[in-house]
């Protein structure tokens, strides 16, 4: 079936190459659209610029989340599931394509899509002619031109029908997700599935940190969120201790203690990580801080210090034997 007609948008034409099924989906805010696309120049050869099938992974966008190439949401919202359509778009709609394509290509290459990007608004970047790192995209950036998009719509999922990425959640959704993730993490810890539990705690922390970024540091809103973050970070660190990721624990507990230098549990976990990597002096200092800050943990500290002393004595004996053996007659270093 071929049908050429104008969308109710200036500078856009649509041709249906293959009809879809069913009714037009409901494209409500938060819906996830999954599709493949091909981008072509409007020249005699119809030169292919990008093709999502080459990467092997369909494209996804969330309705209402300000995708940089706004016209795509408009184009997809005119399609049915299973439909394949060709859209001609005037340069008024394609000026941002070079920057969008650059990000998608970097993701496909396993690179950071924001690497080297200036902290400027979208319109500022649109008129910034520094190189994208791709010759064909540099040409599009210098001379915006009409483009052709061939799209195949696979599905449209309502917000409640799929697990939403953190960045796509509203403030209310993030706050609601945190206790659920916390509970799931605790359940996984009881089953000793520490890697999976750590992932749940980490996701909850990301939700809260995203919200914190919009608050003024150390004011009421920020502090309320920080009080939710702290136990999640400690739980995450406990999982990393169980997994033997001691330097990960040192990093996160140190960052936490820079904000909250009276947190005995953070010192305790950092001390255990120091002890595991043979930082005896640092471990002893942190264990002593724990006993000073929280006398109820004195028994646990005493036990840990005893174990640390035994491990260090054993290590010193082994080291002495090893070094003595190196210098025995008849043995080279």
């Amino acid at each position: 079936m071929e049908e050429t007609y104008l969308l109710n948008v200036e500078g856009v034409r649509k041709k249906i190459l293959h009809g879809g099924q069913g009714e037009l989906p409901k494209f409500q805010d938060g819906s996830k659209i999954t599709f493949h696309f091909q981008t072509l120049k409007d020249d005699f050869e119809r030169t292919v610029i990008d093709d999502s099938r080459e990467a092997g992974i369909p494209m996804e966008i969330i309705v209402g989340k300000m995708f940089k190439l706004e016209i795509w949401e408009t184009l997809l919202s005119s399609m049915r599931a299973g439909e394949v359509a060709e859209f001609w778009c005037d340069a008024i709609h394609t000026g941002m394509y070079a920057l969008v394509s650059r990000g998608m290509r970097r993701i496909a290459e396993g690179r950071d899509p924001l690497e080297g990007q200036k902290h400027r608004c979208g319109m500022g970047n649109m008129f910034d002619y520094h190189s994208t790192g791709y010759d064909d995209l540099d040409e599009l950036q210098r001379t915006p031109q009409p483009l052709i998009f061939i799209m195949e719509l696979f599905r449209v999922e309502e917000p409640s029908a799929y697990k939403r990425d953190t960045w796509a959640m509203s403030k209310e959704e993030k706050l609601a997700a945190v206790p659920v993730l916390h509970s799931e993490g605790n359940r996984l810890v009881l089953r000793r599935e520490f890697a999976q539990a750590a992932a749940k705690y980490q996701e909850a922390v990301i939700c809260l940190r995203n919200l914190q970024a919009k608050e003024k540091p150390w004011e009421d809103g920020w502090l309320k969120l920080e009080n939710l973050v702290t136990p999640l970070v400690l739980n995450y660190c406990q999982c990393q201790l169980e997994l033997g990721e001691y330097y990960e624990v040192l990093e996160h507990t140190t960052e936490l203690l820079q904000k909250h230098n009276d947190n005995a549990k953070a010192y305790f976990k950092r001390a255990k990580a120091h002890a595991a990597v043979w930082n005896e002096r640092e471990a002893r200092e942190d264990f002593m801080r724990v006993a000073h800050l929280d006398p109820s943990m004195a028994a646990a500290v005493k036990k840990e210090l005893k174990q640390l002393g035994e491990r260090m004595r054993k290590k010193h004996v082994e080291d002495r034997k090893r070094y003595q053996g190196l210098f025995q007659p008849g043995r080279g270093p």
Side-chain angles (χ1 to χ4, degrees), residues 306-333:
K306 181 180 179 182
Q307 290 177 350
L308 175 61
E310 291 171 353
R311 288 180 68 241
M312 294 308 301
R313 281 192 292 273
K314 184 177 179 182
K315 182 177 184 295
H316 293 327
V317 170
E318 291 174 350
D319 288 346
R320 264 199 312 272
K321 289 180 179 178
R322 187 178 303 114
Y323 293 134
Q324 287 172 355
L326 288 175
F327 299 103
Q328 286 178 355
R331 294 188 62 179

Side-chain angles (χ1 to χ4, degrees), residues 25 43 46 49 63 69 85 105 122 134 163 168 178 182 216 219 241 244 256 263 265 271 276 306 319 322 324:
D43 56 13
R46 288 168 63 94
I49 301 172
V63 176
L69 199 64
R105 291 184 187 186
Y134 304 93
K163 185 180 183 299
V178 167
H182 198 159
K216 194 168 182 179
E219 292 197 351
L241 282 174
L256 187 62
N263 192 303
K265 290 182 179 179
K306 181 180 179 182
D319 288 346
R322 187 178 303 114
Q324 287 172 355

Side-chain angles (χ1 to χ4, degrees), residues 256-273:
L256 187 62
L257 288 166
Q258 287 171 351
K259 299 176 185 174
H260 311 286
N261 61 5
D262 60 347
N263 192 303
K265 290 182 179 179
Y267 280 118
F268 190 78
K269 295 184 192 307
R270 190 171 74 171
K272 287 177 71 69

Side-chain angles (χ1 to χ4, degrees), residues 191-209:
R191 292 164 53 178
R192 302 192 64 78
E193 297 177 15
F194 297 113
Q196 296 89 331
K200 296 294 183 182
Y201 295 136
Q202 186 178 45
E203 189 176 351
V205 170
I206 290 170
C207 284
L208 294 170
R209 291 296 190 208

Side-chain angles (χ1 to χ4, degrees), residues 234-252:
L234 292 172
N235 287 358
Y236 173 82
C237 288
Q238 183 60 41
C239 290
Q240 297 303 324
L241 282 174
E242 298 285 352
L243 294 167
E245 299 291 344
Y246 304 119
Y247 290 102
E248 181 90 354
V249 176
L250 291 175
E251 177 185 348
H252 288 285

